[in-house]
Amino acid sequence: MTYLVSLFLFGLVVGLVAVASNPAPYFAALGLVVAAGVGCGVLIGHGGLFLSLVLFLIYLGGMLVVFAYSAALAAEPFPESWVDRSVIWYVLVYLIGVVAVAGLFWGGWYESSWVVVDGLKGFFVLRGDVSGVALMYSFGGGMLVVCAWVLLLTLFVVLELTRGLSRGALRAV
Amino acid sequence: MNPYVLAILIASLGMGTTITFASSHWLLAWMGLEINTLAIIPLMSKQHHPRAVEATTKYFLTQATAAAMILFASTTNAWVTGTWNIAQLSDPTAVALISIALALKMGLAPAHFWLPEVLQGLDLTTGLILSTWQKLAPFALIIQISPNMHPAILTALGLCSTLVGGWGGLNQTQLRKILAYSSIAHLGWMIIVLQFAPQLTLLTLATYIVMTSAAFLTLKASSSTKINTLATAWTKAPSLAALATLSLLSLGGLPPLTGFMPKWLILQELTKQSLPLTATIMALSALLSLYFYLRLCYAMALTIAPNVNNSSAPWQLLSTQSTLPLALTTVAALALLPATPAVLAMLT
């Protein structure tokens, strides 16, 4: 388990470096998908099974759409990958930064640094994340309504910004 | 824009600020801020002009960055201290991060660069919303966390904002940029007194909103966005040109006008806290701002440029713009100084 979670955490850092080093959108979106995927793995390592499943399905679903769109919008014949000269310096600087920060906090790291949800109690009937969902639907009902309104608002905002031809904001008058 | 969509956007704009006002939980406050940002974006790019779209993009990027920083800092605070309560933000890292994030959101000086650019790309009505209504939600948060904020950060932000607001506006010819720098300078006054008397911050915010509304509405009524155009503004409404001079001087903070009230009280408070150096720097930086207000006054009403005869008669034409908000805000921007004790009593 320790090795698996260490691998996931390592993959998370590498994925974030892959996004932050500013390569072509193809590769940046790939890095984002990798980071999201191994992030879900880290969540499973902490015991957030249901949360991880929701995040994987919804976030990666959205990520794939973004990936397809950005690949379609930014199609270029020679996309910059991570070994190109304009990107490799960012990669190196971020990696060195990660190593430096890791060295700084090395002493504070031990195997029980991550604790499974509800892992410190004895017996439990409900898991933390599942009962959290139940609480969200009971006590958090009003907040869900607000969230639904925000989704509707976002839909209208996106539609208003990307309307066809001269009526949208994406094209000059 | 479709009127139904417009109604949804404006209702959400109101709802976002209300949610942030009503929340005691960082997540909900963050939601309110995000709703605010989302709702104003189509309103900003409504004109579909490339400048407006560019301004919208800049605004979205800065606000999204600031909101992400707020979310990160409040999560850090919840992790370290175990509470999501806004008033109980106590982790030093989180407090510093949120101070900087809110400074970025409002356009305080080291993080102010987006504000003049964004405001210059918008029309005057949207600019008015941006520099008044959009400031309320971050201010509700910053006043709640002010007891825990680091005094050095607050003082640095305040001094830097007033100085940058004064210096930045000096060489501008575009009125919206001048108003943006005026906004930065006034925000500096609000922040400098936040740690000593939060009610004075509220008072400054209220008077600033009134005065800047008067200025924006005046410019809208004379449809001028450059100093050049101001020189012929008197032909459109002579009495308005005369009053606009007073409104601008009120923004500058001259004594018998409303704008003197916050500066007076803040300087008194700073002196009472035995901070004479800070008070002096603030007072002197107000002179920098006064310089460009005076230049606007000079172009608008203190001189009459020679012109051909028939271009000096547009005042005869009936204006189709609504003049009631302009009249109300101008009167309030000019004549509230005698009501200082009442306003102060209302806010304390």
Side-chain angles (χ1 to χ4, degrees):
Chain A
M1 193 64 191
T2 309
Y3 292 114
L4 200 59
V5 177
S6 300
L7 190 68
F8 280 147
L9 287 172
F10 187 74
L12 187 68
V13 171
V14 170
L16 291 178
V17 167
V19 181
S21 57
N22 214 359
Y26 289 121
F27 297 118
L30 181 66
L32 208 53
V33 171
V34 168
V38 296
C40 293
V42 174
L43 266 183
I44 291 179
H46 284 70
L49 298 178
F50 183 71
L51 196 61
S52 166
L53 185 67
V54 171
L55 194 66
F56 195 79
L57 289 178
I58 294 176
Y59 195 71
L60 280 191
M63 251 332 93
L64 284 181
V65 175
V66 172
F67 180 66
Y69 272 2
S70 57
L73 275 176
E76 43 189 325
F78 304 107
E80 296 157 332
S81 69
W82 294 285
V83 291
D84 282 341
R85 191 170 298 165
S86 59
V87 184
I88 186 83
W89 291 111
Y90 287 109
V91 176
L92 289 178
V93 166
Y94 285 133
L95 285 180
I96 290 171
V98 166
V99 169
V101 172
L104 196 63
F105 291 109
W106 195 254
W109 175 259
Y110 46 94
E111 195 188 328
S112 55
S113 287
W114 58 81
V115 179
V116 177
V117 178
D118 296 336
L120 298 176
K121 299 176 191 166
F123 293 102
F124 49 87
V125 180
L126 289 169
R127 296 199 57 91
D129 51 351
V130 181
S131 56
V133 172
L135 277 178
M136 188 177 76
Y137 278 102
S138 56
F139 292 112
M143 289 306 101
L144 278 184
V145 173
V146 175
C147 287
W149 175 264
V150 173
L151 284 180
L152 189 72
L153 172 69
T154 312
L155 177 70
F156 277 112
V157 167
V158 171
L159 284 180
E160 198 59 48
L161 286 179
T162 58
R163 290 175 75 161
L165 300 179
S166 66
R167 281 179 296 170
L170 291 184
R171 177 175 292 206
V173 180
Chain B
M1 186 181 287
N2 188 315
Y4 298 114
V5 178
L6 190 65
I8 286 181
L9 293 175
I10 290 180
S12 300
L13 198 62
M15 191 181 77
T17 304
T18 314
I19 283 182
T20 307
F21 272 24
S23 60
S24 60
H25 193 285
W26 270 112
L27 209 53
L28 197 59
W30 169 79
M31 269 171 68
L33 292 173
E34 286 284 0
I35 293 173
N36 242 342
T37 309
L38 267 181
I40 199 160
I41 277 175
L43 296 176
M44 290 170 76
S45 66
K46 197 175 51 180
Q47 306 293 330
H48 306 321
H49 194 274
R51 300 293 164 276
V53 176
E54 184 188 332
T56 313
T57 313
K58 284 175 182 169
Y59 185 72
F60 176 70
L61 289 178
T62 46
Q63 298 297 309
T65 310
M69 280 169 71
I70 290 175
L71 193 60
F72 175 59
S74 53
T75 314
T76 310
N77 186 59
W79 191 11
V80 174
T81 67
T83 175
W84 283 94
N85 199 308
I86 293 178
Q88 292 174 5
L89 185 77
S90 52
D91 181 45
T93 316
V95 173
L97 256 178
I98 285 197
S99 315
I100 294 168
L102 288 174
L104 179 60
K105 229 172 193 339
M106 292 185 288
L108 278 165
H112 69 285
F113 291 98
W114 61 273
L115 185 60
E117 310 292 324
V118 167
L119 214 55
Q120 179 64 30
L122 305 176
D123 59 352
L124 287 164
T125 322
T126 321
L128 174 62
I129 297 177
L130 197 73
S131 51
T132 55
W133 181 256
Q134 293 295 89
K135 303 254 192 267
L136 293 179
F139 251 101
L141 292 178
I142 208 166
I143 283 180
Q144 285 182 75
I145 66 170
S146 64
N148 294 325
M149 282 171 80
H150 200 281
I153 293 184
L154 282 176
T155 312
L157 283 176
L159 284 179
C160 201
S161 295
T162 43
L163 286 170
V164 166
W167 266 318
L170 282 185
N171 218 7
Q172 305 292 339
T173 55
Q174 296 285 336
L175 297 176
R176 283 167 291 184
K177 282 199 176 180
I178 289 183
L179 284 175
Y181 281 108
S182 140
S183 164
I184 295 168
H186 278 94
L187 285 174
W189 282 88
M190 295 171 211
I191 292 302
I192 197 86
V193 81
L194 184 59
Q195 49 192 327
F196 308 118
Q199 71 274 18
L200 284 187
T201 302
L202 284 177
L203 179 134
T204 317
L205 182 64
T207 48
Y208 168 69
I209 285 177
V210 167
M211 292 184 296
T212 203
S213 305
F216 268 103
L217 291 172
T218 308
L219 297 183
K220 185 166 179 292
S222 59
S223 31
S224 41
T225 54
K226 292 188 300 248
I227 292 189
N228 283 349
T229 329
L230 269 193
T232 52
W234 65 271
T235 60
K236 295 168 189 162
S239 54
L240 180 62
L243 281 178
T245 315
L246 293 178
S247 299
L248 287 168
L249 291 179
S250 178
L251 267 173
L254 284 198
L257 306 166
T258 304
F260 182 56
M261 170 166 58
K263 292 193 165 57
W264 190 17
L265 295 170
I266 287 173
L267 286 179
Q268 185 213 16
E269 182 67 35
L270 288 177
T271 320
K272 264 198 302 194
Q273 303 282 347
S274 54
L275 293 166
L277 183 63
T278 314
T280 312
I281 296 177
M282 296 299 284
L284 290 180
S285 69
L287 289 179
L288 291 172
S289 300
L290 188 65
Y291 183 83
F292 58 76
Y293 295 128
L294 268 178
R295 180 152 61 193
L296 295 190
C297 296
Y298 179 73
M300 198 164 187
L302 300 187
T303 183
I304 291 183
N307 218 328
V308 292
N309 204 17
N310 57 0
S311 77
S312 61
W315 56 269
Q316 298 173 352
L317 306 172
L318 198 59
S319 170
T320 53
Q321 297 187 35
S322 158
T323 50
L324 182 62
L326 174 60
L328 287 179
T329 50
T330 304
V331 168
L334 297 189
L336 269 188
L337 188 66
T340 304
V343 176
L344 208 54
M346 194 178 72
L347 286 172
T348 44

